[in-house]
Each structure stands twice: as C-alpha cells, then as structure tokens.
Amino acid sequence: MSGQLLRVDVGDLTFDVRADGPDDGRPVLLLHGFPETSASWAAVTPQLAEAGLRTYAVDQLGYSPGARPAEVEAYALTNLAQVTADLMTAMDVPVADVVGHDWGANVAWALAAWHEDRVRSLTAVSVPHPTAFTTAWRSDPEQQERSAYIRLFWQQGKAEEVLLADDARRLRRMFGDAVPAEAVDEYVAVLSAPGALTAALNWYRAMSSSTPVDDVPVPTTYVWSDGDVAIGRRAAEGCAEHVAGDYRFVELTRVSHWIPEEAPEQLTIAILDRIAST
C-alpha cells in the first residue's frame, strides 16, 4: 500500500496508521477486523485516494505493537469506541466517514452510536449492528451454528495454541481462498508476535450483551454477502431496525466474509455512494 505510515500517540498507547490520499482530502477512517490488520484495506484505499479522499487505516488496539494492553477489559466495546474517538482527536480528525469490517464494523457501529458527532457517515461491512447480531444469536439456530467458533476463542491459552499450531494452519484456513497468500502471511506474522494473538482474541473475551449499543442516527450503509459463513441472513436483515438515519443495505452474491479483499471494487462503490450522500 502506498502512502505514509504514521505513529500516533493516544495517552501511553502508540497506534500504527496507514495514511493515503491528498492531505486536504475529506477524511475516511478504516477499521479492520479479526484476524487481519490495516493491510486488509490495500485494494480499497487507492480507489478512495483517487476519488480525492484522505484515508486513515488503523492497526487497531492489540494489533499495533505499541497499543497492546494486557487486561481483557481494555477490549470492551465501550473502550474500543472511546479509544478510536481519542485516536481521531490525536490525528486532528474531528469528524470522518467511518468504514469498518468485521470487528472493525462493531467499533464503527459503537462509534456512530455513542460518538455520533465524530461520524459523518458509516459504512459497516459484514458484521451488522451489535443488537441485530445478539438478537439473531439468541433466537436463530443457524446463527448459533455459524458463531460456534467463538466458544473456542473465549478459552484463554487453548485458543492461542490451537490457532497457531502447525504454522498457524487453522488461522490461515479461516481465509479460505479469498485472501492473497502474501496478505495471510503478513497477518500471521503480526499475530505470531508475543502477546499479539491474545490481545486480538481479547476482543471476543470482552464481549458483553449487557452494554446495549444505541440505534445509529447517522447515514449508514451495511454491506453483506450471501456467501458469509459467519453472519447469516437474519442478523443481516435485522440490521435495518437499528439505524435511525438514512439506511442502505447492499447485498453481494457469492462473496465470502472477506469483502475488502475479495470484492474491493464493489465495496468501494458502496463507500463512495454513501460518502456522496452526505
């Protein structure tokens, strides 16, 4: 990915951020998911930069080596949203169009719900509003089956061992054929560093449905594919009930969960359409 690598201090944390596009471009904040890094946006950011936008792709909490707190509570969604808002402040980005994939989508939903003055528009990718997901998880056997892997991730020590064994075979297998091998190698290298995979899994271990996420008032697009193995249709279609602002549901066909890498052109169109609407 072209552009600059920034190191941004937020209190005693230091985040790695890949910036691209013109310095005076409208800011777009890109939040990756598990088990990836900011490199997951490599096929999207050049297109956004070409459209005149200034992109900031963050290596999120636990993924940036300088921002890897040990305690599980640091990865609670309330804190992830606050840290992201503080990071925007540190970068002198008071408001941005926010795009999040997977866990990054969860953070983006929370940011738009709890810090709506910081979010001009939201494009959430793959993962729906947290309440839509929780509702489906509680009531939909299909979603329960799709989410069964999370129970392994909750097991401290065992999950790390299972995922990293045999040259991280199971971690690599999560991507199927959707993500280029060199990108998978990079993700595995990052998560193989001491404490890195534990930090990434702490996002799951800090999950709580006892902190309900408010409905989102900002203009929002949700991008989902019918080929997603992690998120089923009920959760995806339930998303609409939790957006009070202008809402668009973009459904892709025969694309996996890894939309930013597998369908970057379609995703970029959805992002640009949403940004143009505000």
Side-chain angles (χ1 to χ4, degrees), residues 48 52 90 98 144 147 218 233 259 275:
L48 298 179
V98 179
Q144 290 164 6
S147 301
V218 306
R233 183 170 293 279
I259 291 173
I275 288 172

Side-chain angles (χ1 to χ4, degrees), residues 77-78 106-114 129-132 134 208-216 242:
L77 192 55
T78 45
N106 257 357
V107 177
W109 286 112
L111 193 69
W114 298 329
H129 187 285
T131 306
T134 301
S208 172
S209 57
S210 63
T211 310
V213 178
D214 300 331
D215 289 355
V216 167
H242 302 286

Side-chain angles (χ1 to χ4, degrees), residues 10-268:
V10 178
D12 58 357
L13 304 172
T14 302
F15 286 90
D16 296 340
V17 182
R18 301 177 201 232
D20 209 341
D23 289 345
D24 61 350
R26 176 165 160 169
V28 180
L29 185 68
L30 297 159
L31 304 172
H32 70 82
F34 176 88
E36 298 178 292
T37 70
S38 58
S40 64
W41 301 107
V44 173
T45 49
Q47 299 179 72
L48 298 179
E50 199 174 305
L53 301 164
R54 176 70 169 170
T55 61
Y56 299 92
V58 181
D59 281 338
Q60 295 214 71
L61 193 72
Y63 294 83
S64 286
R68 195 167 282 161
E71 60 280 3
V72 172
E73 308 78 59
Y75 301 90
L77 192 55
T78 45
N79 192 53
L80 294 170
Q82 184 62 57
V83 164
T84 305
D86 293 343
L87 176 64
M88 292 173 67
T89 301
M91 294 191 298
D92 196 24
V93 177
V95 62
D97 296 286
V98 179
V99 182
H101 172 247
D102 186 78
W103 263 110
N106 257 357
V107 177
W109 286 112
L111 193 69
W114 298 329
H115 304 269
E116 63 176 275
D117 57 317
R118 312 303 300 269
V119 181
R120 186 177 272 142
S121 74
L122 167 65
T123 303
V125 189
S126 300
V127 170
H129 187 285
T131 306
F133 174 77
T134 301
T135 301
W137 196 10
R138 286 176 175 163
S139 62
D140 179 19
E142 185 197 341
Q143 186 59 55
Q144 290 164 6
E145 190 176 320
R146 289 171 182 264
S147 301
Y149 68 92
I150 294 175
R151 299 193 185 282
L152 168 64
F153 291 179
W154 285 340
Q155 297 178 53
Q156 299 199 29
K158 181 179 181 187
E160 287 88 333
E161 189 180 324
V162 166
L163 290 172
L164 290 178
D166 193 16
D167 189 32
R169 182 172 57 87
R170 288 179 180 83
L171 199 58
R172 294 174 186 278
R173 200 168 64 196
M174 289 175 64
F175 295 104
D177 300 321
V179 177
E182 58 273 18
V184 175
D185 286 342
E186 180 177 339
Y187 302 150
V188 168
V190 168
L191 291 173
S192 297
L197 182 55
T198 295
L201 290 168
N202 280 344
W203 288 55
Y204 290 91
R205 291 162 186 167
M207 283 171 75
S208 172
S209 57
S210 63
T211 310
V213 178
D214 300 331
D215 289 355
V216 167
V218 306
T220 297
T221 294
Y222 172 50
V223 183
W224 174 79
S225 174
D226 63 3
D228 194 312
V229 297
I231 302 294
R233 183 170 293 279
R234 184 177 297 183
E237 292 184 347
C239 199
E241 297 167 32
H242 302 286
V243 181
D246 177 57
Y247 178 68
R248 297 175 186 170
F249 177 42
V250 175
E251 180 178 335
L252 307 181
T253 55
R254 295 186 297 282
V255 175
S256 74
H257 179 76
W258 313 105
I259 291 173
E261 285 122 331
E262 195 177 356
E265 289 81 11
Q266 291 163 280
L267 176 56
T268 300

